[in-house]
Amino acid sequence: MNEKDKRQRVQNVRKLAVMAMLVAVSVVLVYLVHFPIIPAVAFLEYDPADIPILIGAFAYGPAAGILTPMFMTVPVDVVDALLLPAILPFNLIKAGVNSILTFLVYKTISRHIIHGEEWKKAEEEPEAEPLTAEPSSES
């Protein structure tokens, strides 16, 4: 196996590992963080799970972040009736919040997940030398 093939394999494994971690974070966020934005339609809950998915889509292309919206356990006629008064505003709010949070997080971690930069450890500051009073040179 030549050097180019080895590098490609390493990149593929790295990409797969990062995408798997983003999926895991997304699943954890779905279960831990969710609340209704519009109380009248409590089944429309905000969860930040789209943020890791968007980060993956920005880092590795849209095929890595394909989303399928689903309205679970809600009849279609209820969804149709709530489309303009509730679902559209909810999705606009959610998209705005997710966009802002994704921007902030992605700018911070993109150089690590795309370019492979190492995380820098906090450098310990050297201990300060004790201050000594210098004798005044009064003549």
Side-chain angles (χ1 to χ4, degrees):
M1 185 181 294
N2 63 22
E3 191 65 30
K4 184 179 177 183
D5 290 339
K6 287 180 184 178
R7 268 189 268 126
Q8 185 64 36
R9 263 183 93 177
V10 168
Q11 287 176 346
N12 288 342
V13 169
R14 180 187 196 99
K15 180 179 176 181
L16 181 64
V18 169
M19 288 174 52
M21 286 187 288
L22 291 172
V23 167
V25 169
S26 183
V27 169
V28 169
L29 288 172
V30 164
Y31 287 107
L32 294 182
V33 182
H34 52 90
F35 53 89
I37 293 177
I38 304 170
V41 238
F43 68 90
L44 291 177
E45 291 186 331
Y46 171 78
D47 64 73
D50 293 345
I51 295 169
I53 294 169
L54 288 171
I55 290 170
F58 289 147
Y60 301 117
I66 294 175
L67 301 173
T68 305
M70 292 173 34
F71 297 99
M72 299 179 68
T73 68
V74 179
V76 174
D77 56 333
V78 173
V79 172
D80 288 343
L82 293 173
L83 195 58
L84 286 177
I87 295 174
L88 182 63
F90 169 80
N91 282 318
L92 289 173
I93 292 168
K94 182 177 178 178
V97 170
N98 282 344
S99 297
I100 291 167
L101 292 175
T102 300
F103 171 75
L104 295 173
V105 173
Y106 184 73
K107 290 298 281 183
T108 304
I109 67 170
S110 65
R111 65 179 178 260
H112 303 291
I113 65 173
I114 294 175
H115 304 294
E117 285 186 24
E118 296 293 325
W119 293 95
K120 292 182 181 177
K121 294 182 181 177
E123 296 178 310
E124 294 181 16
E125 293 184 26
E127 291 183 24
E129 295 181 24
L131 296 175
T132 55
E134 293 183 23
S136 60
S137 57
E138 292 180 16
S139 314

